[in-house]
Amino acid sequence: MPFQTISVVGLGYIGLPTAAVFASRKKKVIGVDVNQQAVDTINRGEIHIVEPDLDMAVHAAVVEGYLRATTVPEPADAFLIAVPTPFKGDHEPDLSYIESASKSIAPVLKKGDLVVLESTSPVGATEQMAAWLAEARPDLTFPQTHGEASDIRVAHCPERVLPGHVLRELVQNDRVIGGMSPKCCEVAVALYKAFVEGDCVLTNARTAEMCKLTENSFRDVNIAFANELSIICDKLDINVWELICLANRHPRVNILQPGPGVGGHCIAVDPWFIVSKTPEDAKLIRTAREVNDGKPEWVIEKVKLAIAEFLLSNPDKSAREVTVACLGLAFKADIDDLRESPALSIALKISETHKGPLIAVEPNINKLPSKLEEKFQLTGIKKTLSEADIIILLVDHKEFRDKQEKLASHHRIIDTRGVINS
Ligand code: SAJ
């Protein structure tokens, strides 16, 4: 199946690496994004997001002429939609980006084209996308009405790559391909085989949608179990990290790690897509979300308690003289991504109530986000160790793991990641 030109719609954390990998396989790629600045950056051979090695891949793709970005969709043989699917205030999925992306490509579709939805989506979203396309192009036939004989093929192929390892995982991971008909599957496999070295496993669109949500919910439920254990163990005076390590020696037990909460744009979001479809039945999945979302508040209470204890044992000091340090602001270790970060929200909450000096250490950024800038001083670990009265370890960055002994010798440290306690 010859795909001469591939269009990737949405040039963010998934779309841009995918476009670059297709281009590296000498496919002509047209990247589409509504953000003119992102489009201009990419056309200069530069990138607007942080992901290891992506800068080189995009630079090569643009310089060699295989990748070009635009704000207006152009004809292509395959369209990959990789736009955000956030949730609204009530945890209901927001499909508006998929809707506008499909409506924007509809005018340039032609008989024989393939449209793949890559965005993580609630069950039924691929069928909804196909319905929007059909509505916009009554002159073409679609799989929901014409099955194998349709003019346009439609599939869901969720991305499953881990931020920080995207370029490797894109190529090596197995890929679930959910076609709206067997023909759609066949055509989509031919597309992904251009770069996927893992297996391409076939199913229908609804199962592929649910599969992606299931993977992230599985992880969320497992982390919630670890977070609940951490609260129980704190009450019972047991080291939860030692406990999990011991339990995981059982051949059929594999508990993940507790932390200050679950962040990022995937694990804390996707389970809600299951809950919103089946609210009566998704009891465990909902509870796991609530447990993980409640963890930052528990950490904040611990910090308040530590400040109160410090003042009790230092009666000559006032709260205004207690220096509190937050170690790590990113949503997980060894990345610079502060979006949807429990560490960041804990730091912010502390700054709302604590009147004394506040220090932040985040080795992966050079400048604090504006909401923290006025209240926190961004500094290094050395200064923190000598100046902070209370340290809250929020992210297990390499720089902190390397200082495990020094951190462990600090008399008041709240370790939410098991760096000194493991
Ligand atoms: N976390 C813990 N304890 C753990 C593991 C993670 O507290 O033992 C926390 C992290 O600190 C972070 C959050 O969970 O705040 C999420 O981190 P993560 O590394 O588990 O996952 P993400 O969000 O970076 O990427 C996930 C991955 N999904 C799975 O591993 C099942 C990735 O493969 C998906 O492609 C990605 O979501 C996505 O895009 O959906």
Side-chain angles (χ1 to χ4, degrees), residues 163 202 215 317:
L202 307 188
E215 290 159 14
K317 287 208 172 190

Side-chain angles (χ1 to χ4, degrees), residues 159-161 163 212 216 219 256-257 263 266 331-332 417:
E159 59 78 19
R160 315 156 101 181
V161 288
K212 169 65 197 255
N216 281 354
R219 202 159 163 83
L256 287 168
Q257 298 298 305
C266 312
F331 87 83
K332 65 176 188 177
R417 293 281 187 178

